[in-house]
Amino acid sequence: MSAPPMTVLQVSAEEEAAIRAAVRGAGGAEMVIAGPQHVAGLTALLADPKVSDPIYDLPRPINETNVGRWVADSEALRQQGECILSVSLDEAGEVAGYSRFTVWPDRSAAEIAGARRADLQNSHSGKAGVARSIAFMFEQLGVRLIALTAALDNVRSAASIDAAGFRRMGEIDSVRPDGTTRRSLYWEMTREEWVRRHRL
């Protein structure tokens, strides 16, 4: 799991419990929760360096064993109310992208990482996808703070995050699963800032 946001919010036991319940209850018609049936498709998606290279927290090396463990671990965390790993499918039912929401219910905070298949990138839908994910975290999960990171050279992600209205808050060291670090740009947004910008 990634490090929690720099900003620390005070959270009541009731708010924390509500966020955990929302995470556990995620899914349904609008969101496909990743399961064992998606491991091969996720592996194929992430095996493409154009998709996976900019993402620091993926299981490596990328193979079906490691991706299968990642899917299972993510589901275990979902049952604890702390993670959602979802997939998007194309018209043929193949995995075309993924989103992984990491949630800190005790801080009323969340982050998202994700990627789309290379042939679907640069289709000008990235900003809309970021907006949908932000709305989901604030409206459906009920968190009050979202933190995001991107590699220093990940221009496409940085542009989408900036366009969504996040505040740049400098740089941090993101820790990979193998313990190595990656210098990352860091942003935050509160629910109040989102409401002012988008008038929920």
Side-chain angles (χ1 to χ4, degrees):
M1 182 180 292
S2 304
M6 291 191 291
T7 298
V8 179
L9 301 179
Q10 297 300 311
V11 178
S12 68
E14 292 78 12
E15 181 180 6
E16 177 180 348
I19 293 169
R20 289 186 186 277
V23 172
R24 286 193 294 267
E30 295 184 2
M31 175 177 283
V32 179
I33 302 298
Q37 70 274 28
H38 301 117
V39 169
L42 277 165
T43 304
L45 171 75
L46 300 175
D48 183 349
K50 288 182 283 190
V51 174
S52 58
D53 275 2
I55 305 171
Y56 73 93
D57 59 353
L58 291 171
R60 299 182 193 275
I62 293 170
N63 56 45
E64 287 199 19
T65 298
N66 288 338
V67 172
R69 186 178 303 115
W70 181 57
V71 169
D73 290 347
S74 296
E75 177 58 19
L77 288 170
R78 188 172 75 89
Q79 295 304 321
Q80 297 173 33
E82 298 176 1
C83 175
I84 301 168
L85 178 61
S86 66
V87 294
S88 59
L89 306 176
D90 62 17
E91 293 180 356
E94 300 296 326
V95 174
Y98 86 94
S99 296
R100 190 174 194 269
F101 301 87
T102 301
V103 185
W104 296 275
D106 61 333
R107 293 183 179 229
S108 192
E111 71 169 8
I112 183 174
R116 303 179 74 206
R117 205 168 58 209
D119 64 302
L120 300 175
Q121 295 177 9
N122 300 316
S123 61
H124 306 293
S125 60
K127 292 179 183 178
V130 169
R132 283 193 302 273
S133 295
I134 295 167
F136 169 75
M137 288 184 274
F138 283 139
E139 297 175 30
Q140 303 301 317
L141 300 184
V143 301
R144 289 184 281 133
L145 178 69
I146 297 174
L148 299 178
T149 61
L152 300 182
D153 60 354
N154 192 341
V155 177
R156 185 171 56 240
S157 290
S160 294
I161 295 168
D162 285 335
F166 280 78
R167 287 176 286 111
R168 285 196 186 213
M169 298 181 67
E171 299 177 4
I172 62 169
D173 287 324
S174 298
V175 181
R176 297 184 177 94
D178 64 3
T180 61
T181 60
R182 181 198 77 177
R183 198 68 180 163
S184 301
L185 298 170
Y186 178 81
W187 295 259
E188 286 186 359
M189 179 188 286
T190 66
R191 185 192 296 160
E192 290 76 15
E193 290 168 331
W194 176 254
V195 169
R196 284 198 301 270
R197 185 177 179 90
H198 296 275
R199 304 295 183 196
L200 295 180

